[in-house]
């Protein structure tokens, strides 16, 4: 029911010490804090019922993330866009992306 994220300072300290991520514990926050966050900072994974939605905070706001709506994998926006343009499919689940055809003009 909350946002799962890792404190950037905590992550950096673990990396400097050489700790593995096996001891990682997500931080859970309430809805009030989630509502105050800007939409561009949060990635939402929409799972089918009975599973709950998952919310992830982007700790590197300079990097734009995109999510495949089919498999819910998170990609760098540039990488996903390139794959969709080249292969016309998600690089993970291979689901084809249907591009809308431009409307035809009738006289």
């Amino acid at each position: 029911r909350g946002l799962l994220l890792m404190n950037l300072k905590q992550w950096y300290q673990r990396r400097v010490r050489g700790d593995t991520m096996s001891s990682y514990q997500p931080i859970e926050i309430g809805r009030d804090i989630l509502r105050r966050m800007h939409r561009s900072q949060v990635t939402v994974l929409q799972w089918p019922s009975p599973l709950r939605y998952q919310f992830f905070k982007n700790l590197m706001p300079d990097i734009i993330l995109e999510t495949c709506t089919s498999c819910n994998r998170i990609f760098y926006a540039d990488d996903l866009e390139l794959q969709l343009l080249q292969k016309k499919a998600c690089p993970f689940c291979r689901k084809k992306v249907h591009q809308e055809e431009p409307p035809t003009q009738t006289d």
Side-chain angles (χ1 to χ4, degrees), residues 4-69:
L4 300 177
L5 59 99
M6 177 180 243
N7 182 322
L8 185 57
K9 184 177 180 182
Q10 178 186 16
W11 176 83
Y12 181 73
Q13 289 172 344
R14 286 183 179 180
R15 298 301 291 167
V16 169
R17 288 192 312 252
D19 292 353
T20 62
M21 296 305 285
S22 61
S23 62
Y24 165 72
Q25 292 293 319
I27 299 169
E28 193 168 315
I29 64 169
R31 291 180 186 209
D32 293 338
I33 294 174
L34 180 59
R35 285 186 181 126
R36 284 185 260 161
M37 297 177 80
H38 194 273
R39 287 182 178 253
S40 65
Q41 295 177 328
V42 180
T43 298
V44 181
L45 301 183
Q46 299 179 3
W47 298 102
S49 184
L51 301 175
R52 294 181 177 168
Y53 286 12
Q54 288 179 302
F55 304 87
F56 295 91
K57 182 179 191 299
N58 183 358
L59 296 177
M60 297 183 289
D62 297 345
I63 299 174
I64 300 170
L65 301 175
E66 291 288 333
T67 306
C68 172
T69 56

Side-chain angles (χ1 to χ4, degrees), residues 77-91 95-97 99:
D78 293 341
D79 293 345
L80 183 60
E81 182 180 356
L82 181 63
Q83 282 293 317
L84 294 177
L85 289 172
Q86 288 180 344
K87 310 280 185 183
K88 297 190 182 9
C90 170
K95 181 171 181 184
K96 294 286 183 187
V97 177
Q99 294 181 344

